[in-house]
């Protein structure tokens, strides 16, 4: 600071004196630095300089922020929540055995094919997280039934 001015302000003052009053007014209109409380002042389209505080100058360069959706109410949540597939509600061993339709005529190859077909429509990885417990129960039960049927083939 020289005589109460920053180095930059003193350079501007010296340039103003060297160029004369007319050119100095043009320079001042296009670029101004205010005291510590004010930030950079950029010219507008009309040539007027607008003062901005440090925070306003910083925020002026940020992109527009997207609008955030408000949390859903319970009624809206129930409408938008995915519905559990009907077959995932059939969890008893009897219901799953009926779906598999295991008979005494089944071979190990047909039982393996039934396991694959059942897994295609019931594997837990194919469902939303809130439905995976039901799918997991169905897969465990089906595997138990099919494994028991395969063991029964060897004890005949």
């Amino acid at each position: 600071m020289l005589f109460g001015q920053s180095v930059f302000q003193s350079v501007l003052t010296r340039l103003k004196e060297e160029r004369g009053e007319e050119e100095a007014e043009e320079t001042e209109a296009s670029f101004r630095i205010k005291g510590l409380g004010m930030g950079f002042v950029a010219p507008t389209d009309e040539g007027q300089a607008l003062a901005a505080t440090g925070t306003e100058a910083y925020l002026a360069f940020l992109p527009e922020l997207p609008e955030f959706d408000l949390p859903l109410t319970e009624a809206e949540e129930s409408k938008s929540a995915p519905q559990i597939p009907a077959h995932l509600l059939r969890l008893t061993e009897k219901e799953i055995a009926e779906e598999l339709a295991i008979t005494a005529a089944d071979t190990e190859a047909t039982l393996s094919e039934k396991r694959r077909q059942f897994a295609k429509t019931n594997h837990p990885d194919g469902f939303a997280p809130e439905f995976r417990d039901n799918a997991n129960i169905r897969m465990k039960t089906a595997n138990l039934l099919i494994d028991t049927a395969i063991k029964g083939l060897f004890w005949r």
Side-chain angles (χ1 to χ4, degrees):
M1 301 271 290
L2 302 171
F3 303 105
Q5 292 183 335
S6 69
V7 174
F8 188 72
Q9 287 173 330
S10 63
V11 169
L12 287 178
T13 305
R14 191 190 71 197
L15 287 174
K16 181 178 175 182
E17 291 170 0
E18 287 178 2
R19 291 188 185 165
E21 288 297 321
E22 294 175 8
E23 291 178 324
E25 287 176 12
E26 292 175 12
T27 306
E28 248 183 15
S30 64
F31 182 79
R32 291 185 191 167
I33 299 292
K34 296 287 183 182
L36 294 176
M38 303 302 285
F40 173 74
V41 181
T44 61
D45 292 337
E46 299 87 31
Q48 298 283 341
L50 297 175
T53 63
T55 305
E56 290 170 345
Y58 174 74
L59 294 175
F61 292 107
L62 291 178
E64 289 293 322
L65 296 175
E67 292 185 22
F68 293 102
D69 293 333
L70 296 174
L72 297 176
T73 63
E74 284 186 33
E76 292 172 334
E77 217 171 273
S78 65
K79 289 179 187 176
S80 66
Q83 298 296 319
I84 187 166
H87 71 278
L88 289 183
L89 296 175
R90 295 189 302 267
L91 299 175
T92 65
E93 193 172 307
K94 181 180 177 184
E95 292 170 324
I96 294 170
E98 288 172 0
E99 279 185 55
L100 290 172
I102 296 174
T103 64
D106 284 328
T107 64
E108 189 173 354
T110 60
L111 290 170
S112 295
E113 182 59 28
K114 286 182 180 187
R115 183 189 319 259
R116 276 191 292 279
Q117 292 303 319
F118 191 85
K120 282 182 182 178
T121 59
N122 294 283
H123 198 278
D125 291 345
F127 295 99
E130 58 267 18
F131 306 140
R132 287 186 184 155
D133 287 340
N134 286 18
N136 198 20
I137 291 168
R138 285 178 57 80
M139 283 301 300
K140 284 181 183 179
T141 305
N143 284 331
L144 174 71
L145 292 170
I146 292 170
D147 289 343
T148 304
I150 290 173
K151 283 182 186 175
L153 293 175
F154 294 109
W155 295 106
R156 288 186 198 171

